[in-house]
Amino acid sequence: MKKTAIIVVAVTFLAGCAISENVVPVDSDKTIEKVYVRYSDDVHMEGLNDELVSQFRSLGFDAELYRGDTPDAAQHTFIFTANWAWDLAMYLTYFHGTLYEEGRMLGEAEYDARSGGSNFGKFGPTASKIKPLLTEMMQKVQRR
């Protein structure tokens, strides 16, 4: 009985240490030339705005950061939020980004380490947490 209780507690503890990644990929019939990334000043990592532009470019898309109103030429926009927390070091706890085509959602990417607990996978560069999600979200998209 004592052994069973220890196993139940261990499994419950480990289950509470999950990091989840969810992606809704953009359909393969989409062709995208340029992604406009809306600037967010509500993020801890100041360089994240430029990092997202860089990541879209590395995936083969032209990308531009914008502030304020959506540019008239923006057919495809990416809007995101991100949060960090402290646990021995600062780490990304949550990221959610949505790609829109003229206001209609095409795809989204989410990284959630809010229940990361003692999972050391939550540490590491923010860019390395987001890049695989954007890659998966955009993998089927045709580039112009």
Side-chain angles (χ1 to χ4, degrees), residues 44 83-93 122-124 126:
H44 172 74
N83 303 102
W84 284 261
W86 176 263
D87 182 7
L88 304 175
M90 288 298 288
Y91 69 98
L92 180 68
T93 55
K122 67 186 177 185
F123 298 113
T126 298

Side-chain angles (χ1 to χ4, degrees), residues 13-19 91 93 112-119:
F13 176 75
L14 291 174
C17 299
I19 295 173
Y91 69 98
T93 55
D112 189 350
R114 291 176 293 189
S115 297
S118 63
N119 184 330

Side-chain angles (χ1 to χ4, degrees), residues 22-66:
N22 298 302
V23 176
V24 175
V26 178
D27 290 338
S28 60
D29 66 342
K30 290 295 172 194
T31 300
I32 297 175
E33 180 178 354
K34 188 170 188 172
V35 176
Y36 288 83
V37 177
R38 184 170 72 188
Y39 182 89
S40 176
D41 56 2
D42 192 28
V43 295
H44 172 74
M45 183 182 154
E46 186 176 318
L48 181 58
N49 291 286
D50 292 328
E51 176 62 33
L52 288 168
V53 169
S54 177
Q55 287 193 20
F56 277 110
R57 287 178 179 161
S58 75
L59 293 171
F61 301 96
D62 188 9
E64 182 179 319
L65 195 60
Y66 74 94

